[in-house]
PDB file of all heavy atoms in Angstrom:
ATOM      1  N   LEU A   1      -2.061  25.385   0.226  1.00  0.00           N
ATOM      2  CA  LEU A   1      -1.952  25.405   1.600  1.00  0.00           C
ATOM      3  C   LEU A   1      -2.354  24.100   2.348  1.00  0.00           C
ATOM      4  O   LEU A   1      -1.652  23.418   3.154  1.00  0.00           O
ATOM      5  CB  LEU A   1      -2.734  26.457   2.251  1.00  0.00           C
ATOM      6  CG  LEU A   1      -2.854  26.663   3.760  1.00  0.00           C
ATOM      7  CD1 LEU A   1      -1.352  26.752   4.333  1.00  0.00           C
ATOM      8  CD2 LEU A   1      -3.628  27.713   4.255  1.00  0.00           C
ATOM      9  N   SER A   2      -3.670  23.649   2.031  1.00  0.00           N
ATOM     10  CA  SER A   2      -4.189  22.471   2.758  1.00  0.00           C
ATOM     11  C   SER A   2      -3.371  21.278   2.574  1.00  0.00           C
ATOM     12  O   SER A   2      -3.084  20.474   3.374  1.00  0.00           O
ATOM     13  CB  SER A   2      -5.624  22.216   2.371  1.00  0.00           C
ATOM     14  OG  SER A   2      -5.729  21.789   1.114  1.00  0.00           O
ATOM     15  N   MET A   3      -2.797  21.008   1.336  1.00  0.00           N
ATOM     16  CA  MET A   3      -2.112  19.850   1.165  1.00  0.00           C
ATOM     17  C   MET A   3      -0.714  19.937   1.475  1.00  0.00           C
ATOM     18  O   MET A   3      -0.071  18.874   1.896  1.00  0.00           O
ATOM     19  CB  MET A   3      -2.207  19.338  -0.308  1.00  0.00           C
ATOM     20  CG  MET A   3      -3.548  18.848  -0.709  1.00  0.00           C
ATOM     21  SD  MET A   3      -4.257  17.684   0.462  1.00  0.00           S
ATOM     22  CE  MET A   3      -2.971  16.483   0.589  1.00  0.00           C
ATOM     23  N   SER A   4      -0.061  21.206   1.408  1.00  0.00           N
ATOM     24  CA  SER A   4       1.247  21.222   1.975  1.00  0.00           C
ATOM     25  C   SER A   4       1.286  20.925   3.486  1.00  0.00           C
ATOM     26  O   SER A   4       2.177  20.232   3.913  1.00  0.00           O
ATOM     27  CB  SER A   4       1.876  22.545   1.724  1.00  0.00           C
ATOM     28  OG  SER A   4       1.199  23.545   2.417  1.00  0.00           O
ATOM     29  N   MET A   5       0.215  21.282   4.126  1.00  0.00           N
ATOM     30  CA  MET A   5       0.054  20.876   5.561  1.00  0.00           C
ATOM     31  C   MET A   5       0.089  19.415   5.808  1.00  0.00           C
ATOM     32  O   MET A   5       0.803  18.842   6.531  1.00  0.00           O
ATOM     33  CB  MET A   5      -1.135  21.515   6.069  1.00  0.00           C
ATOM     34  CG  MET A   5      -1.051  22.599   6.959  1.00  0.00           C
ATOM     35  SD  MET A   5      -0.133  22.206   8.453  1.00  0.00           S
ATOM     36  CE  MET A   5      -1.426  21.620   9.527  1.00  0.00           C
ATOM     37  N   ARG A   6      -0.861  18.889   4.998  1.00  0.00           N
ATOM     38  CA  ARG A   6      -1.043  17.316   5.216  1.00  0.00           C
ATOM     39  C   ARG A   6       0.248  16.583   4.841  1.00  0.00           C
ATOM     40  O   ARG A   6       0.539  15.617   5.443  1.00  0.00           O
ATOM     41  CB  ARG A   6      -2.223  16.848   4.653  1.00  0.00           C
ATOM     42  CG  ARG A   6      -2.296  16.914   3.176  1.00  0.00           C
ATOM     43  CD  ARG A   6      -3.659  16.359   2.663  1.00  0.00           C
ATOM     44  NE  ARG A   6      -4.515  17.357   2.195  1.00  0.00           N
ATOM     45  CZ  ARG A   6      -5.423  17.905   3.044  1.00  0.00           C
ATOM     46  NH1 ARG A   6      -5.509  17.568   4.194  1.00  0.00           N
ATOM     47  NH2 ARG A   6      -6.229  18.801   2.531  1.00  0.00           N
ATOM     48  N   TYR A   7       0.960  17.099   3.807  1.00  0.00           N
ATOM     49  CA  TYR A   7       2.066  16.343   3.281  1.00  0.00           C
ATOM     50  C   TYR A   7       3.327  16.675   4.156  1.00  0.00           C
ATOM     51  O   TYR A   7       4.326  16.007   3.982  1.00  0.00           O
ATOM     52  CB  TYR A   7       2.294  16.533   1.732  1.00  0.00           C
ATOM     53  CG  TYR A   7       1.235  15.656   1.163  1.00  0.00           C
ATOM     54  CD1 TYR A   7       0.093  16.232   0.620  1.00  0.00           C
ATOM     55  CD2 TYR A   7       1.505  14.393   0.986  1.00  0.00           C
ATOM     56  CE1 TYR A   7      -0.776  15.617   0.031  1.00  0.00           C
ATOM     57  CE2 TYR A   7       0.452  13.563   0.319  1.00  0.00           C
ATOM     58  CZ  TYR A   7      -0.699  14.182  -0.106  1.00  0.00           C
ATOM     59  OH  TYR A   7      -1.558  13.377  -0.729  1.00  0.00           O
ATOM     60  N   LEU A   8       3.187  17.712   5.052  1.00  0.00           N
ATOM     61  CA  LEU A   8       4.266  17.807   5.937  1.00  0.00           C
ATOM     62  C   LEU A   8       4.457  16.569   6.736  1.00  0.00           C
ATOM     63  O   LEU A   8       5.408  16.362   7.517  1.00  0.00           O
ATOM     64  CB  LEU A   8       3.939  18.995   6.964  1.00  0.00           C
ATOM     65  CG  LEU A   8       4.014  20.404   6.330  1.00  0.00           C
ATOM     66  CD1 LEU A   8       3.624  21.372   7.258  1.00  0.00           C
ATOM     67  CD2 LEU A   8       5.504  20.620   5.848  1.00  0.00           C
ATOM     68  N   SER A   9       3.462  15.642   6.664  1.00  0.00           N
ATOM     69  CA  SER A   9       3.562  14.368   7.407  1.00  0.00           C
ATOM     70  C   SER A   9       3.503  13.210   6.567  1.00  0.00           C
ATOM     71  O   SER A   9       3.821  12.167   7.102  1.00  0.00           O
ATOM     72  CB  SER A   9       2.664  14.397   8.649  1.00  0.00           C
ATOM     73  OG  SER A   9       1.509  14.016   8.170  1.00  0.00           O
ATOM     74  N   THR A  10       2.941  13.236   5.386  1.00  0.00           N
ATOM     75  CA  THR A  10       2.517  12.097   4.656  1.00  0.00           C
ATOM     76  C   THR A  10       3.438  11.751   3.584  1.00  0.00           C
ATOM     77  O   THR A  10       3.253  10.742   2.964  1.00  0.00           O
ATOM     78  CB  THR A  10       1.160  12.129   4.225  1.00  0.00           C
ATOM     79  OG1 THR A  10       1.113  13.205   3.279  1.00  0.00           O
ATOM     80  CG2 THR A  10       0.079  12.258   5.225  1.00  0.00           C
ATOM     81  N   SER A  11       4.488  12.488   3.297  1.00  0.00           N
ATOM     82  CA  SER A  11       5.184  12.267   2.017  1.00  0.00           C
ATOM     83  C   SER A  11       5.744  10.934   1.904  1.00  0.00           C
ATOM     84  O   SER A  11       5.620  10.331   0.951  1.00  0.00           O
ATOM     85  CB  SER A  11       6.253  13.323   1.889  1.00  0.00           C
ATOM     86  OG  SER A  11       6.992  13.399   3.154  1.00  0.00           O
ATOM     87  N   ASN A  12       6.432  10.354   2.889  1.00  0.00           N
ATOM     88  CA  ASN A  12       6.936   9.097   2.651  1.00  0.00           C
ATOM     89  C   ASN A  12       5.941   8.050   2.689  1.00  0.00           C
ATOM     90  O   ASN A  12       6.072   6.955   2.111  1.00  0.00           O
ATOM     91  CB  ASN A  12       8.091   8.631   3.504  1.00  0.00           C
ATOM     92  CG  ASN A  12       8.205   9.324   4.779  1.00  0.00           C
ATOM     93  OD1 ASN A  12       7.402  10.321   4.994  1.00  0.00           O
ATOM     94  ND2 ASN A  12       9.189   9.014   5.529  1.00  0.00           N
ATOM     95  N   ILE A  13       4.814   8.366   3.242  1.00  0.00           N
ATOM     96  CA  ILE A  13       3.755   7.353   3.170  1.00  0.00           C
ATOM     97  C   ILE A  13       3.218   7.309   1.758  1.00  0.00           C
ATOM     98  O   ILE A  13       2.893   6.273   1.306  1.00  0.00           O
ATOM     99  CB  ILE A  13       2.643   7.746   4.086  1.00  0.00           C
ATOM    100  CG1 ILE A  13       3.245   7.898   5.387  1.00  0.00           C
ATOM    101  CG2 ILE A  13       1.533   6.821   3.995  1.00  0.00           C
ATOM    102  CD1 ILE A  13       2.250   8.332   6.367  1.00  0.00           C
ATOM    103  N   GLY A  14       3.093   8.428   1.289  1.00  0.00           N
ATOM    104  CA  GLY A  14       2.409   8.589   0.007  1.00  0.00           C
ATOM    105  C   GLY A  14       2.819   7.584  -0.999  1.00  0.00           C
ATOM    106  O   GLY A  14       2.024   6.980  -1.511  1.00  0.00           O
ATOM    107  N   VAL A  15       4.085   7.551  -1.252  1.00  0.00           N
ATOM    108  CA  VAL A  15       4.572   6.767  -2.300  1.00  0.00           C
ATOM    109  C   VAL A  15       4.158   5.374  -2.131  1.00  0.00           C
ATOM    110  O   VAL A  15       4.083   4.662  -3.146  1.00  0.00           O
ATOM    111  CB  VAL A  15       6.052   6.817  -2.450  1.00  0.00           C
ATOM    112  CG1 VAL A  15       6.378   7.301  -3.804  1.00  0.00           C
ATOM    113  CG2 VAL A  15       6.601   7.633  -1.395  1.00  0.00           C
ATOM    114  N   ARG A  16       4.099   4.842  -0.976  1.00  0.00           N
ATOM    115  CA  ARG A  16       3.893   3.459  -0.802  1.00  0.00           C
ATOM    116  C   ARG A  16       2.676   3.067  -1.496  1.00  0.00           C
ATOM    117  O   ARG A  16       2.423   2.020  -1.610  1.00  0.00           O
ATOM    118  CB  ARG A  16       3.584   3.245   0.692  1.00  0.00           C
ATOM    119  CG  ARG A  16       4.789   3.691   1.411  1.00  0.00           C
ATOM    120  CD  ARG A  16       4.242   3.882   2.718  1.00  0.00           C
ATOM    121  NE  ARG A  16       4.344   2.808   3.532  1.00  0.00           N
ATOM    122  CZ  ARG A  16       4.745   2.855   4.622  1.00  0.00           C
ATOM    123  NH1 ARG A  16       5.092   3.891   5.121  1.00  0.00           N
ATOM    124  NH2 ARG A  16       4.772   1.910   5.392  1.00  0.00           N
ATOM    125  N   LYS A  17       1.965   3.972  -1.939  1.00  0.00           N
ATOM    126  CA  LYS A  17       0.624   3.601  -2.273  1.00  0.00           C
ATOM    127  C   LYS A  17       0.475   3.030  -3.687  1.00  0.00           C
ATOM    128  O   LYS A  17      -0.582   2.780  -3.921  1.00  0.00           O
ATOM    129  CB  LYS A  17      -0.151   4.799  -2.298  1.00  0.00           C
ATOM    130  CG  LYS A  17      -1.565   4.631  -2.318  1.00  0.00           C
ATOM    131  CD  LYS A  17      -2.244   4.192  -3.207  1.00  0.00           C
ATOM    132  CE  LYS A  17      -3.228   3.335  -3.395  1.00  0.00           C
ATOM    133  NZ  LYS A  17      -4.205   3.577  -3.837  1.00  0.00           N
ATOM    134  N   GLY A  18       1.372   2.825  -4.385  1.00  0.00           N
ATOM    135  CA  GLY A  18       1.069   2.177  -5.666  1.00  0.00           C
ATOM    136  C   GLY A  18       0.185   1.065  -5.350  1.00  0.00           C
ATOM    137  O   GLY A  18      -0.262   0.184  -6.033  1.00  0.00           O
ATOM    138  N   PHE A  19      -0.299   1.140  -4.163  1.00  0.00           N
ATOM    139  CA  PHE A  19      -0.897   0.009  -3.392  1.00  0.00           C
ATOM    140  C   PHE A  19      -1.970  -0.786  -4.227  1.00  0.00           C
ATOM    141  O   PHE A  19      -1.903  -1.915  -4.210  1.00  0.00           O
ATOM    142  CB  PHE A  19      -1.684   0.572  -2.194  1.00  0.00           C
ATOM    143  CG  PHE A  19      -0.769   1.024  -1.185  1.00  0.00           C
ATOM    144  CD1 PHE A  19       0.630   0.924  -1.541  1.00  0.00           C
ATOM    145  CD2 PHE A  19      -1.186   1.410   0.017  1.00  0.00           C
ATOM    146  CE1 PHE A  19       1.584   1.218  -0.460  1.00  0.00           C
ATOM    147  CE2 PHE A  19      -0.273   1.825   0.944  1.00  0.00           C
ATOM    148  CZ  PHE A  19       1.062   1.671   0.723  1.00  0.00           C
ATOM    149  N   ASN A  20      -2.841  -0.064  -4.862  1.00  0.00           N
ATOM    150  CA  ASN A  20      -3.931  -0.779  -5.375  1.00  0.00           C
ATOM    151  C   ASN A  20      -3.576  -1.095  -6.818  1.00  0.00           C
ATOM    152  O   ASN A  20      -4.355  -1.456  -7.623  1.00  0.00           O
ATOM    153  CB  ASN A  20      -5.261  -0.018  -5.394  1.00  0.00           C
ATOM    154  CG  ASN A  20      -6.194  -0.666  -4.374  1.00  0.00           C
ATOM    155  OD1 ASN A  20      -5.761  -1.298  -3.374  1.00  0.00           O
ATOM    156  ND2 ASN A  20      -7.418  -0.621  -4.654  1.00  0.00           N
ATOM    157  N   GLY A  21      -2.325  -1.078  -7.132  1.00  0.00           N
ATOM    158  CA  GLY A  21      -2.013  -1.252  -8.596  1.00  0.00           C
ATOM    159  C   GLY A  21      -1.823  -2.617  -8.934  1.00  0.00           C
ATOM    160  O   GLY A  21      -1.957  -3.482  -8.245  1.00  0.00           O
ATOM    161  N   GLN A  22      -1.581  -2.753 -10.304  1.00  0.00           N
ATOM    162  CA  GLN A  22      -1.458  -4.033 -10.715  1.00  0.00           C
ATOM    163  C   GLN A  22       0.072  -4.261 -11.287  1.00  0.00           C
ATOM    164  O   GLN A  22       0.617  -3.295 -11.372  1.00  0.00           O
ATOM    165  CB  GLN A  22      -2.396  -4.349 -11.892  1.00  0.00           C
ATOM    166  CG  GLN A  22      -3.857  -4.000 -11.592  1.00  0.00           C
ATOM    167  CD  GLN A  22      -4.571  -4.030 -12.834  1.00  0.00           C
ATOM    168  OE1 GLN A  22      -4.348  -4.800 -13.796  1.00  0.00           O
ATOM    169  NE2 GLN A  22      -5.644  -3.104 -12.937  1.00  0.00           N
ATOM    170  N   GLY A  23       0.357  -5.460 -11.674  1.00  0.00           N
ATOM    171  CA  GLY A  23       1.571  -5.687 -12.227  1.00  0.00           C
ATOM    172  C   GLY A  23       2.711  -5.833 -11.266  1.00  0.00           C
ATOM    173  O   GLY A  23       2.617  -5.814 -10.045  1.00  0.00           O
ATOM    174  N   LYS A  24       4.025  -5.787 -11.822  1.00  0.00           N
ATOM    175  CA  LYS A  24       5.118  -5.966 -10.873  1.00  0.00           C
ATOM    176  C   LYS A  24       5.306  -4.706 -10.002  1.00  0.00           C
ATOM    177  O   LYS A  24       5.210  -3.642 -10.415  1.00  0.00           O
ATOM    178  CB  LYS A  24       6.428  -6.084 -11.812  1.00  0.00           C
ATOM    179  CG  LYS A  24       6.707  -7.535 -12.062  1.00  0.00           C
ATOM    180  CD  LYS A  24       8.024  -7.686 -12.694  1.00  0.00           C
ATOM    181  CE  LYS A  24       8.418  -9.037 -13.012  1.00  0.00           C
ATOM    182  NZ  LYS A  24       9.705  -9.102 -13.710  1.00  0.00           N
ATOM    183  N   SER A  25       5.719  -4.952  -8.756  1.00  0.00           N
ATOM    184  CA  SER A  25       6.117  -3.872  -7.964  1.00  0.00           C
ATOM    185  C   SER A  25       7.514  -3.629  -7.963  1.00  0.00           C
ATOM    186  O   SER A  25       8.351  -4.580  -8.164  1.00  0.00           O
ATOM    187  CB  SER A  25       5.673  -4.226  -6.509  1.00  0.00           C
ATOM    188  OG  SER A  25       6.530  -5.181  -5.941  1.00  0.00           O
ATOM    189  N   SER A  26       7.871  -2.502  -7.946  1.00  0.00           N
ATOM    190  CA  SER A  26       9.313  -2.054  -7.934  1.00  0.00           C
ATOM    191  C   SER A  26       9.744  -1.831  -6.484  1.00  0.00           C
ATOM    192  O   SER A  26       9.375  -0.804  -5.968  1.00  0.00           O
ATOM    193  CB  SER A  26       9.533  -0.845  -8.733  1.00  0.00           C
ATOM    194  OG  SER A  26      10.827  -0.257  -8.614  1.00  0.00           O
ATOM    195  N   ASN A  27      10.444  -2.784  -6.026  1.00  0.00           N
ATOM    196  CA  ASN A  27      10.892  -2.571  -4.539  1.00  0.00           C
ATOM    197  C   ASN A  27      11.724  -1.352  -4.283  1.00  0.00           C
ATOM    198  O   ASN A  27      11.855  -0.884  -3.256  1.00  0.00           O
ATOM    199  CB  ASN A  27      11.556  -3.891  -4.041  1.00  0.00           C
ATOM    200  CG  ASN A  27      10.632  -4.916  -3.731  1.00  0.00           C
ATOM    201  OD1 ASN A  27       9.508  -4.695  -3.255  1.00  0.00           O
ATOM    202  ND2 ASN A  27      10.950  -6.102  -3.944  1.00  0.00           N
ATOM    203  N   LYS A  28      12.297  -1.009  -5.398  1.00  0.00           N
ATOM    204  CA  LYS A  28      13.237   0.166  -5.321  1.00  0.00           C
ATOM    205  C   LYS A  28      12.366   1.358  -4.681  1.00  0.00           C
ATOM    206  O   LYS A  28      12.957   2.255  -3.977  1.00  0.00           O
ATOM    207  CB  LYS A  28      13.832   0.655  -6.648  1.00  0.00           C
ATOM    208  CG  LYS A  28      14.838  -0.316  -7.101  1.00  0.00           C
ATOM    209  CD  LYS A  28      15.321   0.074  -8.447  1.00  0.00           C
ATOM    210  CE  LYS A  28      16.352  -0.851  -9.021  1.00  0.00           C
ATOM    211  NZ  LYS A  28      16.799  -0.456 -10.454  1.00  0.00           N
ATOM    212  N   THR A  29      11.179   1.439  -5.007  1.00  0.00           N
ATOM    213  CA  THR A  29      10.356   2.539  -4.634  1.00  0.00           C
ATOM    214  C   THR A  29      10.169   2.652  -3.129  1.00  0.00           C
ATOM    215  O   THR A  29       9.873   3.671  -2.666  1.00  0.00           O
ATOM    216  CB  THR A  29       8.975   2.515  -5.363  1.00  0.00           C
ATOM    217  OG1 THR A  29       8.375   1.218  -4.985  1.00  0.00           O
ATOM    218  CG2 THR A  29       9.207   2.513  -6.765  1.00  0.00           C
ATOM    219  N   MET A  30      10.409   1.549  -2.487  1.00  0.00           N
ATOM    220  CA  MET A  30      10.276   1.649  -1.062  1.00  0.00           C
ATOM    221  C   MET A  30      11.230   2.526  -0.376  1.00  0.00           C
ATOM    222  O   MET A  30      10.923   3.124   0.721  1.00  0.00           O
ATOM    223  CB  MET A  30      10.312   0.292  -0.421  1.00  0.00           C
ATOM    224  CG  MET A  30       8.996  -0.504  -0.273  1.00  0.00           C
ATOM    225  SD  MET A  30       7.828   0.452   0.639  1.00  0.00           S
ATOM    226  CE  MET A  30       8.424   0.240   2.266  1.00  0.00           C
ATOM    227  N   LEU A  31      12.316   2.803  -0.946  1.00  0.00           N
ATOM    228  CA  LEU A  31      13.286   3.658  -0.474  1.00  0.00           C
ATOM    229  C   LEU A  31      12.783   5.046  -0.241  1.00  0.00           C
ATOM    230  O   LEU A  31      13.127   5.776   0.672  1.00  0.00           O
ATOM    231  CB  LEU A  31      14.385   3.759  -1.418  1.00  0.00           C
ATOM    232  CG  LEU A  31      15.275   2.363  -1.467  1.00  0.00           C
ATOM    233  CD1 LEU A  31      16.320   2.555  -2.501  1.00  0.00           C
ATOM    234  CD2 LEU A  31      15.864   2.132  -0.112  1.00  0.00           C
ATOM    235  N   PHE A  32      11.777   5.396  -1.073  1.00  0.00           N
ATOM    236  CA  PHE A  32      11.178   6.613  -0.905  1.00  0.00           C
ATOM    237  C   PHE A  32      10.661   6.915   0.404  1.00  0.00           C
ATOM    238  O   PHE A  32      10.633   7.883   1.006  1.00  0.00           O
ATOM    239  CB  PHE A  32      10.132   6.746  -1.952  1.00  0.00           C
ATOM    240  CG  PHE A  32       9.556   8.089  -1.960  1.00  0.00           C
ATOM    241  CD1 PHE A  32      10.242   9.131  -2.608  1.00  0.00           C
ATOM    242  CD2 PHE A  32       8.225   8.363  -1.397  1.00  0.00           C
ATOM    243  CE1 PHE A  32       9.632  10.382  -2.660  1.00  0.00           C
ATOM    244  CE2 PHE A  32       7.780   9.604  -1.500  1.00  0.00           C
ATOM    245  CZ  PHE A  32       8.335  10.565  -2.094  1.00  0.00           C
ATOM    246  N   LEU A  33      10.132   5.754   1.052  1.00  0.00           N
ATOM    247  CA  LEU A  33       9.495   5.832   2.304  1.00  0.00           C
ATOM    248  C   LEU A  33      10.626   5.847   3.362  1.00  0.00           C
ATOM    249  O   LEU A  33      10.283   6.165   4.537  1.00  0.00           O
ATOM    250  CB  LEU A  33       8.724   4.612   2.613  1.00  0.00           C
ATOM    251  CG  LEU A  33       7.621   4.447   1.528  1.00  0.00           C
ATOM    252  CD1 LEU A  33       6.931   3.160   1.788  1.00  0.00           C
ATOM    253  CD2 LEU A  33       6.871   5.596   1.694  1.00  0.00           C
ATOM    254  N   ALA A  34      11.691   5.310   3.092  1.00  0.00           N
ATOM    255  CA  ALA A  34      12.609   4.973   4.107  1.00  0.00           C
ATOM    256  C   ALA A  34      13.178   6.077   4.941  1.00  0.00           C
ATOM    257  O   ALA A  34      13.366   5.976   6.070  1.00  0.00           O
ATOM    258  CB  ALA A  34      13.889   4.234   3.577  1.00  0.00           C
ATOM    259  N   ALA A  35      13.338   7.224   4.307  1.00  0.00           N
ATOM    260  CA  ALA A  35      14.170   8.210   4.995  1.00  0.00           C
ATOM    261  C   ALA A  35      13.548   9.389   5.389  1.00  0.00           C
ATOM    262  O   ALA A  35      13.716   9.953   6.484  1.00  0.00           O
ATOM    263  CB  ALA A  35      15.339   8.635   4.200  1.00  0.00           C
ATOM    264  N   GLY A  36      12.738  10.093   4.666  1.00  0.00           N
ATOM    265  CA  GLY A  36      12.456  11.448   4.838  1.00  0.00           C
ATOM    266  C   GLY A  36      11.477  11.943   5.866  1.00  0.00           C
ATOM    267  O   GLY A  36      11.128  12.970   5.777  1.00  0.00           O
ATOM    268  N   ALA A  37      10.843  11.097   6.604  1.00  0.00           N
ATOM    269  CA  ALA A  37       9.762  11.557   7.439  1.00  0.00           C
ATOM    270  C   ALA A  37      10.204  12.644   8.379  1.00  0.00           C
ATOM    271  O   ALA A  37       9.345  13.410   8.892  1.00  0.00           O
ATOM    272  CB  ALA A  37       9.107  10.376   8.232  1.00  0.00           C
ATOM    273  N   SER A  38      11.472  12.815   8.592  1.00  0.00           N
ATOM    274  CA  SER A  38      11.914  13.852   9.510  1.00  0.00           C
ATOM    275  C   SER A  38      12.124  15.196   8.945  1.00  0.00           C
ATOM    276  O   SER A  38      12.349  16.133   9.764  1.00  0.00           O
ATOM    277  CB  SER A  38      13.231  13.382  10.314  1.00  0.00           C
ATOM    278  OG  SER A  38      14.238  13.172   9.242  1.00  0.00           O
TER     279      SER A  38
END
């Protein structure tokens, strides 16, 4: 329950987060953020 609530709004943000990672970033993954907030 608690996380489905919070992710009702954070899903496309979420993925952006490879944030603190190392190595090459895959720009394809940004698409995940692009569309679904609605």
Side-chain angles (χ1 to χ4, degrees):
L1 177 60
S2 67
M3 285 317 302
S4 61
M5 250 300 270
R6 63 182 104 266
Y7 283 97
L8 285 176
S9 82
T10 57
S11 45
N12 19 359
I13 299 174
V15 238
R16 300 156 96 136
K17 194 299 135 118
F19 290 4
N20 251 32
Q22 310 173 32
K24 265 190 178 174
S25 72
S26 168
N27 280 325
K28 290 179 182 178
T29 57
M30 267 306 285
L31 290 173
F32 186 76
L33 301 176
S38 60

